Amino acid sequence: MIIKAVKFRKDGFYSQPFAFGGEEGMEKFDLSVRYRGSLQNYVIDTGKDVILVDTGLPAGTPEEVPSEKALAYTGKDICSYIEALAAIGYKPEQVTKILLTHKHADHSGELRSFPNAEIFVNAEELSAAELKDIKNITPVTFDDGAYYNFPESKKITDGVYYIKAKGHTLGNSIVIAESDGLFYMLHGDITYVDEALYENKLSVVYEDAAAARLTLDRVREFIRNHKTVYCGTHTPQGYENLEAKRVMDLDNPVPTVLADIDFSAQKASGKYVCSICGYVYDPAEHDGVAFEDLPDDWKCPRCKQPKSKFNPA
């Protein structure tokens, strides 16, 4: 089994209030503490199947412009998702299966580029706008029983398991691949940064807070009892852990390296991008209404997050 990261954005950040403030409140944490951010998804090559775990941002999604007040910033483009996939040696037609961790566009954005793959999606996500009109979806009801301490799972193939992990979204899932005595946990947004895993903190982004807490508790319990390589989507720690085959030790965190961001060299276009789901607010498509003039209680049409989660593009 070969597992590789598909890297398509770099040099982003997630602030401590964003990454840690889901239960205690953002005001308890320091906005000036910014953990390194990136965007990558993963490929599992079993020799028989080429399996994608998520499919990146939609091609053409504009970059955000970071500010010192921003809660999160997804980073600078390296290339498109499809170009990133090609960079590690794979073409869309080689992909046989896709396991979607959840509906948000930074995870589902290029599903339409794989019409011949079987797309596994938690059945609770099927009504999502991001999945509209995609024909090659197999709804998953997790009917294969427990996977260790996770109560509901689906075996995809030998050594690859799709696991119900509700919280971040109501249909959130994780993927675990077993190889050479290690458990590779490929997840979407259980945490945005590894520091939150070590500190046992929820991010501020969830659809069900109680379920998100239960899922994080299960993840930490699993890691304590299994040699787990923890591979996230939003931090370079994800691919660093993968490439080093680093087994997580919750009692001995990897030293933090904070983000180093130049806030002075950015120009805004008037568009704004949701740092959670990638929705682009373009005034030209909203009768010329500037983002700044939207009501304070306006929310993202796609993921229902508030204006504070948007960055200028």
Side-chain angles (χ1 to χ4, degrees):
M1 183 183 292
I2 299 170
I3 304 173
K4 294 183 178 182
V6 187
K7 306 172 188 177
F8 53 97
R9 277 197 178 175
K10 64 179 182 178
D11 299 336
F13 68 78
Y14 293 90
S15 69
Q16 191 179 74
F18 180 95
F20 283 21
E23 292 175 304
E24 297 162 70
M26 291 193 294
E27 68 280 0
K28 301 290 185 181
F29 301 97
D30 188 345
L31 184 62
S32 69
V33 176
R34 302 180 184 95
Y35 301 110
R36 293 181 299 150
S38 60
L39 280 175
Q40 64 276 333
N41 300 142
Y42 297 94
V43 173
I44 305 169
D45 187 339
T46 69
K48 177 182 177 183
D49 284 305
V50 175
I51 303 171
L52 303 185
V53 180
D54 295 341
T55 63
L57 284 165
T61 300
E63 293 182 12
E64 304 154 35
V65 176
S67 77
E68 294 182 72
K69 295 181 180 180
L71 293 170
Y73 164 56
T74 59
K76 303 173 184 176
D77 286 336
I78 300 170
C79 57
S80 71
Y81 176 84
I82 297 299
E83 290 168 337
L85 188 64
I88 58 171
Y90 294 96
K91 300 177 182 178
E93 55 267 28
Q94 293 176 269
V95 175
T96 56
K97 295 179 172 68
I98 298 172
L99 307 180
L100 188 69
T101 64
H102 63 287
K103 61 190 176 184
H104 291 158
D106 49 341
H107 300 263
S108 63
E110 284 295 322
L111 287 176
R112 289 172 177 80
S113 295
F114 301 91
N116 298 322
E118 183 178 11
I119 302 170
F120 293 83
V121 176
N122 185 330
E124 295 181 52
E125 297 276 74
L126 291 180
S127 63
E130 294 91 336
L131 306 182
K132 185 178 179 181
D133 299 326
I134 297 177
K135 306 299 184 184
N136 48 321
I137 286 177
T138 295
V140 177
T141 55
F142 303 95
D143 52 4
D144 286 340
Y147 179 83
Y148 295 97
N149 64 310
F150 295 100
E152 297 176 84
S153 72
K154 181 71 175 178
K155 182 177 179 181
I156 301 302
T157 189
D158 288 344
V160 180
Y161 298 86
Y162 191 48
I163 296 163
K164 191 172 186 178
K166 181 178 179 179
H168 178 68
T169 69
L170 297 181
N172 200 71
S173 307
I174 60 178
V175 177
I176 294 181
E178 301 174 358
S179 181
D180 296 328
L182 298 178
F183 296 81
Y184 292 84
M185 183 177 287
L186 313 173
H187 69 94
D189 303 344
I190 301 300
T191 58
Y192 279 81
V193 297
D194 286 10
E195 286 83 1
L197 176 74
Y198 291 124
E199 296 292 335
N200 196 18
K201 304 293 187 184
L202 291 182
S203 82
V204 297
V205 186
Y206 48 69
E207 293 182 351
D208 186 324
R213 164 45 59 194
L214 182 58
T215 289
L216 183 55
D217 288 346
R218 286 173 175 157
V219 165
R220 284 170 53 86
E221 178 186 352
F222 185 89
I223 288 171
R224 285 200 180 277
N225 290 292
H226 302 86
K227 293 181 178 179
T228 304
V229 180
Y230 189 69
C231 301
T233 296
H234 290 275
T235 170
Q237 295 159 315
Y239 61 75
E240 289 167 0
N241 293 340
L242 174 64
E243 291 164 4
K245 296 185 178 180
R246 179 183 294 130
V247 173
M248 302 302 280
D249 181 349
L250 298 181
D251 299 317
N252 293 283
V254 174
T256 292
V257 178
L258 294 176
D260 182 14
I261 304 294
D262 179 3
F263 294 103
S264 65
Q266 309 291 333
K267 294 183 179 180
S269 65
K271 300 177 183 179
Y272 276 71
V273 183
C274 179
S275 62
I276 307 306
C277 75
Y279 176 82
V280 179
Y281 181 88
D282 184 348
E285 297 175 359
H286 295 271
D287 299 322
V289 177
F291 184 83
E292 295 85 350
D293 294 334
L294 292 170
D296 290 342
D297 61 355
W298 183 89
K299 296 183 185 300
C300 176
R302 183 184 289 156
C303 70
K304 310 307 179 188
Q305 293 295 314
K307 288 178 69 177
S308 62
K309 302 299 195 311
F310 278 71
N311 291 322

